[in-house]
């Protein structure tokens, strides 16, 4: 095995987290090595980007599951089986990672989210939290994380409405660019939701509303609303992506070395500190040791957890005793509830759009409404999105229509441009029996155990969906369609249909080493030179898209790591 | 240094001739002239054309389109004919325009089964293979193209047994009855795949073949798109997205990029 000279910092994964940390550390003069298992990417690679089959159906930008996947079971009484092809969520791959294929919706979490346990107990008493729900505070407050949100938003050029919204946390600075275009479809949603007394706003967008030069001097062009965003790359660089923002910033310092086709398989450690990582150069097949003073895990949620477990670093979560932290509080998102409006007398240009083009209101998100008489906690954003409806995946027909044949063709063609949807994006709260561990049977191509997910929807999620989807239905009706269908019933979690790539938890943050794996600088309690950064640190998932919070945590970690490189020790 | 990383530099435009007036106006309006960063080779002259050709689209034609590419990579003749006939029942010709057959869907399916998707090249295929709960997804040791072959074999025997005829010889109504039984898994034996899984695969492939970019062999002459006013590969809707109603745009396929 080749052993390379020691470096100050090694990063596993070059997506948003890896890119932000590389940019911040190299600007501060630190030498960084970034290891990326996939290939390099540039905007030129998206020459043939507007290809629904290749990108949306055959998952061009996603990880090759023949090498590695996860296993899944709803409950502990089931045998976990591998996710053999893509469904419920999509794992990014290559330079930019999930930051290349995301939609660009850039919400902050609510002040309530960071103190969810304390605030729930204060307002409703301990008895409001159902048995088995493992709600916990984040060890950081909204006011403390706010400056880091601001940093991410300035870097990415987020487009949004800066007027104060009573439902959201305060902002120290306005959004760097104005909101995206308020299209006729969005105006219709705005009018309807305002009439019902709600507070709609333009979804903060990482698809630029206008040309923008960020504080690092990186310039990007405005979004063209071409309708190919999520699952696609952006050939314009209008969608903020690590490849067109933080990675070039880091490269310009001359202090970042990115090694692509480098798949990290192990974190080396002595039980107290990491000494480096082992990776496979997938071009040569060679196993390489890269010693480092600081190891940053910046890969996707699931891989962060798997690497810690298979490297035996940190104490694995034991569901029976509740002890240990690695794998604890896996959460997801509750997205199935929605209301569809069919318009017999109107057509819309729903094929136009952008990943983050939409409007939303948060009157039923977080604790913005009274839960005293409700059988669930938290809530959901209620939103309309105009992302660009593509023809393979969007063939709506009213219930009762045959699912193929003459009548199906006629009806789906009729409604191809006559359907609007108001959807919910619900919070997912943690439970003792939802967790991640290593699968006892299935292995990756290197012979290492796959990660096993044990997760299902609970009554909390079903109650939330029923309540929120009915609210979405009221808005949809107000938008004047000929016919509305509301889906307010939540089925058991099924890994087959796509739902959301907002997987969270497993290496969660907090103030107490007994119940959290990392502190508020994302530093591991059990290994002070290891920083595990990403949505893996979320103790629960909110009713929003996670990337703004992931970005904020990365900026927070960057500050912590610089402090650590100077003084060492536990940072809090 | 990172091989292949081309960031922060503009690349050479694909076409070097002086931009015409409409292109210049557009670039000005959308701010594309900025700094040169990231607006790379993709732009070439592509934007200009999407703006110039916004006349009302021509209606979809039901006339079959053939080309030298119309040959098979995977199916034998019988398999091709059965697939073509079944796909046509799923997406039939009607007053809106062509059905699966004229759209080349069976060629699309043939090519997909012969390629990486048909061979599950990017799927996890290591054992053990265990009976799954419905929430856990397909757990088959077979490749998709093997499942498809066995599905067609099952369809053939069913028709022989029930009607003593080939599927392609049945009347449309009878074909629909067979496909309905197959979808429901109603006494429809197949090896290695359930008849409803096979039906779903056939149905999904048919829809993909109707609406995927024509480069894959289906959606002939973009007629699948034309039937629903989908404009395909357009570089910008920035000037149109604030308009009320349905904006009709002449569709373009990915092939348009090759002539830039």
């Amino acid at each position: 095995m080749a052993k390379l000279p020691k470096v100050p910092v090694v990063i596993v994964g070059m997506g948003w987290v890896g890119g932000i940390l590389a940019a911040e550390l190299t600007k501060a003069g630190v030498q960084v090595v970034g290891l990326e298992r996939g290939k390099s990417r540039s905007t030129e690679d998206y020459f043939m980007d507007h290809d629904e089959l290749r990108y949306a159906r055959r998952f061009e930008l996603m990880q090759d599951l023949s090498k590695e996947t996860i296993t899944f079971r709803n409950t502990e009484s089931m045998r976990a089986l591998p996710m053999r092809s893509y469904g419920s969520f999509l794992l990014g791959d290559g330079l930019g990672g999930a930051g290349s294929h995301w939609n660009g919706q850039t919400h902050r979490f609510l002040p309530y989210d960071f103190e969810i346990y304390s605030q729930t107990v204060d307002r409703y008493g301990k008895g409001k939290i159902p048995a088995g729900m493992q709600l916990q505070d984040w060890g950081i407050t909204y006011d403390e994380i706010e400056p880091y949100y601001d940093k991410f938003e300035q870097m990415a050029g987020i487009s949004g409405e800066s007027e104060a919204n009573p439902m959201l946390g305060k902002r120290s600075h306005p959004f760097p660019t104005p909101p995206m275009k308020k299209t006729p479809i969005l105006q219709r949603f705005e009018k309807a939701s305002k009439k019902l007394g709600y507070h709609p706003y333009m979804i903060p967008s990482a698809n630029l509303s206008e040309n923008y030069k960020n504080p690092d001097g990186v310039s990007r062009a405005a979004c063209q609303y071409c309708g190919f965003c999520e699952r696609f790359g952006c050939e314009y660089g209008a969608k903020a992506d690590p490849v067109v923002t933080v990675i070039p910033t880091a490269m310009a310092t001359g202090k970042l070395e990115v090694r692509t086709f480098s798949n990290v398989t192990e974190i080396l450690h002595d039980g107290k500190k990491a000494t480096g990582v082992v990776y496979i150069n997938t071009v040569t097949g060679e196993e390489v040791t890269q010693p480092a003073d600081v190891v940053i895990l910046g890969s996707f949620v699931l891989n962060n957890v798997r690497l810690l477990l298979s490297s035996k670093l940190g104490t694995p979560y034991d569901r029976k005793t509740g002890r240990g932290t690695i794998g604890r509080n896996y959460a997801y998102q509750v997205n199935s509830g929605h209301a569809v409006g069919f318009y017999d007398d109107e057509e819309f240009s729903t094929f136009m759009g952008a990943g983050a083009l939409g409007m939303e209101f948060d009157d039923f998100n977080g604790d913005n409404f009274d839960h005293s008489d409700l059988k669930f906690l938290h809530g959901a954003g209620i939103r309309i999105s105009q992302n660009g409806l593509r023809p393979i995946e969007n063939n709506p027909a009213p219930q009762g229509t045959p699912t193929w044949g003459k009548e199906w063709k006629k009806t789906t063609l009729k409604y191809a441009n006559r359907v609007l949807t108001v959807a919910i994006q619900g919070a997912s709260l943690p439970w003792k029996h939802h967790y991640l561990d290593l699968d006892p049977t299935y292995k990756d191509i290197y012979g290492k155990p796959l990660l096993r997910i044990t997760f299902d929807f609970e009554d909390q999620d079903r109650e939330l969906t029923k309540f929120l989807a009915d609210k979405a239905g009221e808005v949809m009706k107000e938008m004047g369609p000929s016919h509305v269908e509301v889906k307010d019933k939540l089925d058991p979690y099924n890994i087959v249909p796509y739902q959301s790539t907002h997987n969270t938890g497993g290496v969660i943050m907090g103030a107490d080493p007994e119940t959290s794996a990392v502190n508020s600088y994302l530093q591991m309690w059990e290994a002070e030179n290891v920083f595990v950064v990403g949505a893996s640190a979320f103790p629960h998932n909110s009713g929003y898209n996670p990337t703004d919070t992931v970005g904020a945590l990365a900026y927070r970690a960057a500050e912590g790591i610089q402090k650590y490189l100077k003084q060492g020790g536990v940072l809090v | 240094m990172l091989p292949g990383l081309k960031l922060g530099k503009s690349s050479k435009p694909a076409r070097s001739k002086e931009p015409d007036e409409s292109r210049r106006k557009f670039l000005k309006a959308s701010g594309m002239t900025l700094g040169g960063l990231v607006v790379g080779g993709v732009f070439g002259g592509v934007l200009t054309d999407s703006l110039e050709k916004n006349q009302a689209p021509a209606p979809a034609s039901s006339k079959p389109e053939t080309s030298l590419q119309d040959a098979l990579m995977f199916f034998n003749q019988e398999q091709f004919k059965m697939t073509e006939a079944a796909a046509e029942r799923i997406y039939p010709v009607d007053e809106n325009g062509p059905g699966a057959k004229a759209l080349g869907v069976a060629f699309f399916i043939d090519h997909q089964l012969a390629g990486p998707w048909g061979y599950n090249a990017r799927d996890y295929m290591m054992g053990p293979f265990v009976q799954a709960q419905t929430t856990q997804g397909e757990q088959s040791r077979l490749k998709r193209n093997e499942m498809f072959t066995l599905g067609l074999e099952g369809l053939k025997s069913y028709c022989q047994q029930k009607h003593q005829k080939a599927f392609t010889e049945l009347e449309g109504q009878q074909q629909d009855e067979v496909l309905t039984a197959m979808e429901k898994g109603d006494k429809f034996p197949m090896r290695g795949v359930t008849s409803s899984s096979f039906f779903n695969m056939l149905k999904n492939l048919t829809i993909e073949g109707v609406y995927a970019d024509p480069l894959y062999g289906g959606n002939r002459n973009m007629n699948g798109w034309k039937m629903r006013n989908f404009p395909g590969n357009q570089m910008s809707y920035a000037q149109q997205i604030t308009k009320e109603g349905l904006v009709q745009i002449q569709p373009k396929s990915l092939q348009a990029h090759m002539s830039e």
Side-chain angles (χ1 to χ4, degrees):
Chain A
M1 189 193 297
K3 187 169 177 178
L4 299 172
K6 189 173 174 182
V7 294
V9 173
V10 68
I11 304 177
V12 182
M14 288 307 284
W16 270 128
V17 166
I20 289 169
L21 283 155
E24 293 306 291
L25 295 173
T26 55
K27 282 193 289 178
V30 180
Q31 201 75 36
V32 174
V33 167
L35 300 175
E36 168 54 51
R37 67 167 123 191
K39 61 185 175 187
S40 184
R41 280 211 193 97
S42 69
T43 52
E44 281 87 350
D45 295 331
Y46 304 128
F47 183 46
M48 290 281 159
D49 192 57
H50 296 172
D51 185 340
E52 185 183 11
L53 188 77
R54 176 179 174 187
Y55 288 92
R57 303 281 300 169
R58 303 287 183 260
F59 311 111
E60 168 78 18
L61 298 183
M62 310 309 164
Q63 277 177 42
D64 180 348
L65 296 180
S66 73
K67 295 177 177 160
E68 173 185 335
T69 184
I70 52 89
T71 68
F72 161 71
R73 57 183 182 172
N74 293 85
T75 64
E76 289 159 311
S77 61
M78 276 167 70
R79 175 173 182 171
L81 296 178
M83 175 176 81
R84 295 191 178 275
S85 49
Y86 280 112
S88 177
F89 47 83
L90 303 173
L91 308 168
D93 189 36
L95 200 69
S100 294
H101 73 79
W102 71 317
N103 256 335
Q105 301 171 9
T106 317
H107 297 80
R108 295 178 175 195
F109 283 8
L110 297 165
Y112 163 76
D113 280 307
F114 300 97
E115 298 171 272
I116 190 168
Y117 176 78
S118 316
Q119 290 197 16
T120 302
V121 171
D122 281 354
R123 188 167 175 184
Y124 307 105
K126 268 191 181 172
K128 183 73 181 167
I129 303 172
M133 187 187 278
Q134 213 149 245
L135 221 49
Q136 52 192 94
D137 292 346
W138 287 42
I140 193 168
T141 63
Y142 177 81
D143 288 343
E144 286 166 340
I145 200 176
E146 200 283 337
Y148 307 104
Y149 272 131
D150 191 53
K151 270 192 159 174
F152 180 77
E153 291 161 6
Q154 300 295 329
M155 177 277 294
I158 303 306
S159 303
E161 287 174 356
S162 297
E163 299 87 69
N165 183 316
M167 300 295 154
L168 303 173
K170 287 195 174 63
R171 310 180 53 84
S172 57
H173 293 96
F175 283 103
T177 53
M180 300 192 82
K181 294 175 195 271
K182 199 178 283 178
T183 65
I185 292 170
L186 304 193
Q187 286 172 25
R188 196 180 281 245
F189 173 85
E190 181 184 38
K191 198 174 154 204
S193 48
K194 274 190 176 165
K195 191 172 169 203
L196 292 168
Y198 305 135
H199 300 80
Y201 62 93
M202 290 292 289
I203 290 177
S205 165
N207 323 129
L208 287 177
S209 62
E210 62 183 31
N211 297 332
Y212 180 66
K213 185 172 179 179
N214 80 6
D216 294 317
V218 175
S219 294
R220 289 161 44 225
C223 173
Q224 296 302 308
Y225 300 87
C226 74
F228 289 83
C229 239
E230 188 177 30
R231 305 190 185 186
F232 302 82
C234 180
E235 65 270 58
Y236 294 93
K239 172 166 78 176
D241 170 336
V243 175
V244 296
T245 54
V246 286
I247 294 174
T249 298
M251 294 303 282
T253 65
K255 291 187 176 299
L256 171 65
E257 186 196 346
V258 175
R259 297 183 199 144
T260 50
F261 296 100
S262 301
N263 193 348
V264 175
T265 51
E266 190 181 354
I267 306 157
L268 298 170
H269 62 92
D270 60 12
K272 288 188 173 140
K273 276 174 142 185
T275 55
V277 299
V278 175
Y279 67 90
I280 293 165
N281 175 334
T282 59
V283 177
T284 61
E286 191 183 17
E287 214 173 28
V288 182
T289 298
Q290 177 61 68
D293 291 322
V294 168
V295 172
I296 299 169
L297 298 194
S299 59
F300 194 63
V301 178
L302 303 172
N303 197 52
N304 280 353
V305 178
R306 188 166 93 106
L307 264 180
L308 290 172
L309 290 173
S310 62
S311 307
K312 299 188 168 32
L313 181 57
T315 310
Y317 174 66
D318 180 338
R319 177 259 184 285
K320 289 194 183 73
T321 62
R323 296 177 62 84
T325 55
I326 311 302
R328 182 186 168 100
N329 282 25
Y330 174 73
Y332 192 48
Q333 198 125 58
V334 181
N335 277 6
S336 298
H338 61 261
V340 185
F342 295 87
Y343 292 79
D344 287 334
D345 308 315
E346 282 182 85
E347 287 190 280
F348 307 93
S349 298
T350 41
F351 53 82
M352 303 179 186
L357 180 63
M359 287 195 85
E360 168 158 356
F361 62 85
D362 289 322
D363 299 64
F364 301 103
N365 210 344
D367 204 28
N368 288 342
F369 59 116
D370 185 13
H371 289 73
S372 300
D373 298 326
L374 299 172
K375 290 180 192 148
F376 64 94
L377 290 167
H378 214 303
I382 295 180
R383 59 227 317 257
I384 191 156
S385 298
Q386 193 175 348
N387 301 342
L389 298 185
R390 294 172 294 269
I392 298 172
E393 300 211 312
N394 294 283
N395 290 287
Q399 276 167 19
T401 308
T403 55
W404 55 274
K406 197 171 168 50
E407 195 57 33
W408 178 82
K409 179 187 177 188
K410 191 177 139 195
T411 311
T412 52
L413 288 178
K414 173 184 171 184
Y415 287 111
N417 303 300
R418 293 171 183 271
V419 164
L420 301 180
T421 303
V422 175
I424 72 164
Q425 177 164 243
S428 174
L429 302 182
W431 297 82
K432 285 196 166 81
H433 53 285
H434 294 175
Y435 60 95
L436 305 170
D437 64 356
L438 293 178
D439 191 273
T441 308
Y442 292 96
K443 307 269 196 292
D444 70 8
I445 48 160
Y446 306 116
K448 304 235 177 208
L450 298 183
L451 189 74
R452 176 170 68 177
I453 298 176
T454 305
F455 176 81
D456 206 349
F457 291 128
E458 304 288 336
D459 285 342
Q460 147 81 25
D461 307 308
R462 285 182 277 275
E463 294 285 340
L464 183 155
T465 301
K466 170 101 188 71
F467 183 87
L468 269 294
D470 290 347
K471 300 284 179 203
E474 288 165 20
V475 177
M476 191 69 250
K477 279 180 196 122
E478 195 61 42
M479 289 168 66
S482 324
H483 169 60
V484 178
E485 288 176 8
V486 178
K487 184 178 185 307
D488 63 1
K489 188 175 167 291
L490 184 66
D491 299 322
Y493 177 63
N494 183 331
I495 201 147
V496 180
Y498 182 78
Q499 288 152 76
S500 168
T501 301
H502 303 162
N503 317 61
T504 64
V507 197
I508 65 174
M509 61 193 294
D512 180 359
E514 291 295 311
T515 56
S516 61
V518 295
N519 63 30
S520 71
Y521 285 101
L522 293 305
Q523 179 184 34
M524 264 186 95
W525 294 115
E526 295 185 75
E528 63 174 48
N529 68 337
V530 177
F531 291 77
V532 188
V533 190
S536 53
F538 296 5
H540 71 274
N541 198 11
S542 185
Y544 296 103
N545 305 64
T547 302
D548 205 5
T549 305
V550 170
L553 292 178
Y555 279 100
R556 167 88 178 170
E559 202 178 287
I561 292 163
Q562 288 176 61
K563 218 191 258 185
Y564 179 80
L565 285 168
K566 288 194 188 94
Q567 68 188 44
V570 177
L571 294 166
V572 295
Chain B
M1 184 58 206
L2 181 56
L5 185 66
K6 291 171 269 178
L7 298 163
K9 290 186 191 101
S10 70
S11 62
K12 234 195 285 176
R15 195 163 69 174
S16 56
K17 79 173 192 201
E18 191 64 25
D20 63 27
E21 187 59 20
S22 65
R23 175 171 156 81
R24 199 176 298 122
K25 264 191 213 151
F26 170 72
L27 291 174
K28 207 174 159 194
S30 63
M32 281 302 155
T33 49
L34 164 110
L37 198 94
V38 301
V39 284
V42 164
F43 282 94
V46 168
L47 283 169
T48 320
D49 290 354
S50 68
L51 286 172
E52 283 167 351
K53 294 175 187 166
N54 283 345
Q55 316 96 351
S61 151
S62 293
K63 203 178 98 222
E65 317 265 340
T66 56
S67 76
L68 295 176
Q69 277 85 14
D70 288 346
L72 300 178
M73 302 173 187
F74 180 78
F75 288 139
N76 63 27
Q77 192 179 26
E78 182 188 32
Q79 291 167 332
F80 177 77
K81 296 243 178 235
M82 277 169 85
T83 302
E84 188 175 57
E88 178 68 19
R89 295 315 297 174
I90 290 170
Y91 198 94
V93 60
D94 68 359
E95 62 277 14
N96 292 294
K101 184 176 177 181
L103 288 165
V105 166
F107 288 103
F108 170 88
I109 295 176
D110 172 78
H111 301 349
Q112 287 297 307
L113 294 175
W117 183 82
Y119 282 93
N120 298 64
R122 299 176 73 223
D123 293 332
Y124 186 79
M125 295 299 278
M126 286 183 248
F129 294 91
V130 175
Q131 180 67 41
Q133 308 277 335
T134 50
T135 56
Q136 294 178 297
E138 188 70 67
Q139 300 286 326
S140 175
R141 67 182 70 242
L142 295 175
K143 297 186 170 71
R144 290 189 183 91
N145 56 21
E146 293 170 328
M147 287 168 73
F148 205 93
T149 304
L150 291 172
L152 289 175
E153 189 183 286
L155 174 59
K156 183 181 171 181
S157 336
Y158 182 92
C159 295
Q160 278 303 334
Q161 237 161 44
K162 190 154 175 123
H163 299 286
Q164 293 79 49
K165 276 185 182 170
F167 180 76
T168 47
E169 291 163 351
L170 300 177
E171 295 299 319
Q173 183 63 34
Q174 287 175 310
Q175 288 180 329
D176 285 354
E177 282 163 22
V178 170
L179 292 174
T180 303
M182 187 163 96
E183 182 186 21
K184 288 185 177 149
D186 184 12
K187 292 178 195 149
F188 210 116
M190 275 182 190
R191 269 203 297 161
V193 57
T194 66
S195 71
S196 15
S197 303
F198 173 61
F199 180 83
N200 282 333
M201 184 160 45
L202 175 67
K203 182 185 141 187
N204 289 336
L205 281 164
T206 301
I207 297 171
E208 288 177 349
V210 170
Y211 294 126
D213 191 277
L215 90 90
Y216 295 99
N219 189 11
R220 295 284 156 107
N221 198 26
M222 302 184 281
N223 281 333
W225 291 345
K226 285 173 190 169
M227 283 186 272
R228 58 187 286 161
N229 287 301
F230 182 71
N233 168 35
Q234 304 287 331
M235 292 312 289
S236 178
Y237 297 124
Q239 310 302 315
Q240 294 133 314
I241 196 163
T242 49
K243 289 186 182 156
E244 292 281 349
L246 177 70
V247 181
Q248 301 217 358
I249 299 168
Q250 184 74 35
K252 287 172 75 172
S253 77
L254 288 166
Q255 205 281 327
H257 286 335
M258 301 306 291
S259 52
E260 296 305 324

